Amino acid sequence: MVDTQDCDDGDDLDQLMLATVDERQSHSTLIVCFFTGEGAPPHTAAMLRVPAPPIASSVMDSFHVQIDAAIELNPAVHDGAILVGRSRTSEDYAIRGWSYRLFPPHNGACQEANRGSAFNSGLAMSTVEGIDAVYLASNNTVSKFVHGHHILLR
């Protein structure tokens, strides 16, 4: 698993997410789950969206444009998490799915007062094997969850 707190990937992802929040046209709540592995990570479920935005686009360039275009195509895509993955740490991250439900298993080590389902789900999801980081952007605030820890970026 990539420890995003101790490598360049973490700083790159932080900068990507801060820039994405700054540059988006809409300021709706955004949950982005970064992972390494094949297929969708465990404890996630796709919520069917018709029409469905395209996937497999690299997020390193114009992530905000891709998000805005997806929401313009189908406003319901913002209701779930965006899955952004890569098969190996040597690859770039790409959008693997829009509008996913996160349902991490109960983790006793992740004891945090209820701060809302998006916050608490992101925190717990960050402990799942293969998850590199989960970001929650809401009201110009950006939170990062890594290995069951919350980091307020802004």
Side-chain angles (χ1 to χ4, degrees):
M1 179 182 302
V2 176
D3 184 346
T4 59
Q5 290 177 306
D6 297 328
C7 72
D8 291 336
D9 279 344
D11 291 339
D12 290 347
L13 295 181
D14 292 352
Q15 293 308 310
L16 173 71
M17 289 305 301
L18 289 168
T20 297
V21 169
D22 289 342
E23 296 170 5
R24 285 186 59 220
Q25 292 176 1
S26 166
H27 294 287
S28 59
T29 297
L30 186 65
I31 303 168
V32 183
C33 182
F34 288 89
F35 69 96
T36 300
E38 296 295 329
H43 310 292
T44 64
M47 294 185 283
L48 179 63
R49 299 292 183 219
V50 177
I55 59 170
S57 300
S58 173
V59 296
M60 301 321 279
D61 295 313
S62 304
F63 191 31
H64 69 284
V65 172
Q66 296 173 60
I67 294 169
D68 287 338
I71 291 172
E72 185 175 324
L73 177 68
N74 185 338
V77 297
H78 81 84
D79 287 340
I82 301 169
L83 294 187
V84 180
R86 60 188 179 179
S87 297
R88 291 176 287 289
T89 58
S90 60
E91 296 177 356
D92 286 339
Y93 285 102
I95 297 170
R96 296 270 188 91
W98 298 96
S99 201
Y100 270 69
R101 204 170 31 247
L102 306 179
F103 52 95
H106 175 72
N107 184 336
C110 227
Q111 295 296 326
E112 178 82 31
N114 186 357
R115 296 177 62 179
S117 62
F119 183 97
N120 288 84
S121 292
L123 182 65
M125 193 70 192
S126 74
T127 66
V128 172
E129 185 175 344
I131 301 301
D132 300 327
V134 178
Y135 290 83
L136 171 62
S138 182
N139 298 324
N140 210 31
T141 299
V142 181
S143 291
K144 175 183 180 178
F145 307 102
V146 178
H147 305 299
H149 298 284
H150 170 235
I151 302 157
L152 183 63
L153 298 179
R154 176 181 337 152

